[in-house]
Amino acid sequence: MKKVLCSVMVMMMLAVAFTGCSVFTTETNNGGEEAIGSYEPVKISEDYSFADPAELDFDKRYVLTCDTSSQMIASASDYGMVASFNVYYEKEGAPVAEYDFFVVDSADHAQALISLYEQQGSVLTQLEGHPTILTSSVDGDTLEGNLVAFQSYGMISEAKLSAYVTFMAESMGGKVQ
């Protein structure tokens, strides 16, 4: 089981590890304000929703969700993971940003997952005021580099965000909204 978890986690971390990752630094919506355009905030937990960052210029958003029925979450059960959300943005076919959220069942499991990512050279941070929600983000340039790398390794057929999201959904057993 640990090998499966590590394999799935490595695939996810490839998205940020090829060229690094930035620390999550966006404004979020906790109070039910309207989202930009026609997109509703992404409900991460009972008391937290992620709204599209106001400063982000995009024309398409993909949300990849994994719950306890997905292979990714099932393989991460030793870390108390109960859900993950990957929010991808693009503008005129070019990647703009990615925001990742991992929901775990306890603050202890959150620390264990932060340590696991740290050992792999990636950064996860606890969302302020929500000790069981971990997050990271990737800017458009980094995400574009990841798409090129995934294509060069034959993991996706073209360096497009839509191909990448489809690959990630199929690999992790998630659903795209």
Side-chain angles (χ1 to χ4, degrees):
M1 183 58 90
K2 189 170 183 178
K3 283 185 180 183
V4 172
L5 171 63
C6 287
S7 297
V8 171
M9 299 299 274
V10 165
M11 279 193 329
M12 290 182 63
M13 288 187 298
L14 280 174
V16 292
F18 283 123
T19 53
C21 111
S22 60
V23 176
F24 182 79
T25 59
T26 188
E27 294 180 28
T28 58
N29 177 356
N30 289 314
E33 299 166 79
E34 273 191 44
I36 296 171
S38 62
Y39 295 111
E40 293 293 320
V42 179
K43 186 174 182 176
I44 306 297
S45 70
E46 287 300 316
D47 62 347
Y48 177 76
S49 293
F50 172 73
D52 300 324
E55 70 279 0
L56 206 60
D57 185 21
F58 67 97
D59 57 22
K60 184 152 178 99
R61 177 182 89 174
Y62 303 90
V63 179
L64 172 60
T65 61
C66 293
D67 60 20
T68 54
S69 66
S70 74
Q71 175 186 352
M72 186 268 195
I73 300 301
S75 66
S77 63
D78 288 349
Y79 288 90
M81 194 176 298
V82 295
S84 73
F85 301 84
N86 306 87
V87 185
Y88 305 94
Y89 297 95
E90 70 180 9
K91 173 79 173 180
E92 298 173 356
V96 174
E98 173 184 349
Y99 294 88
D100 301 322
F101 300 89
F102 303 102
V103 182
V104 295
D105 61 5
S106 71
D108 288 340
H109 277 133
Q111 288 304 314
L113 198 55
I114 288 169
S115 294
L116 175 67
Y117 268 66
E118 202 171 75
Q119 292 169 8
Q120 308 276 335
S122 295
V123 176
L124 280 180
T125 57
Q126 284 179 309
L127 194 60
E128 188 175 329
H130 301 274
T132 60
I133 300 175
L134 306 175
T135 188
S136 67
S137 66
V138 176
D139 64 24
D141 291 338
T142 302
L143 187 52
E144 186 172 23
N146 293 339
L147 298 178
V148 170
F150 271 59
Q151 182 187 25
S152 72
Y153 288 124
M155 298 167 86
I156 57 177
S157 60
E158 55 186 345
K160 295 195 180 259
L161 190 55
S162 58
Y164 177 75
V165 171
T166 298
F167 169 79
M168 295 302 283
E170 291 171 357
S171 298
M172 296 188 300
K175 297 175 188 159
V176 180
Q177 304 170 354

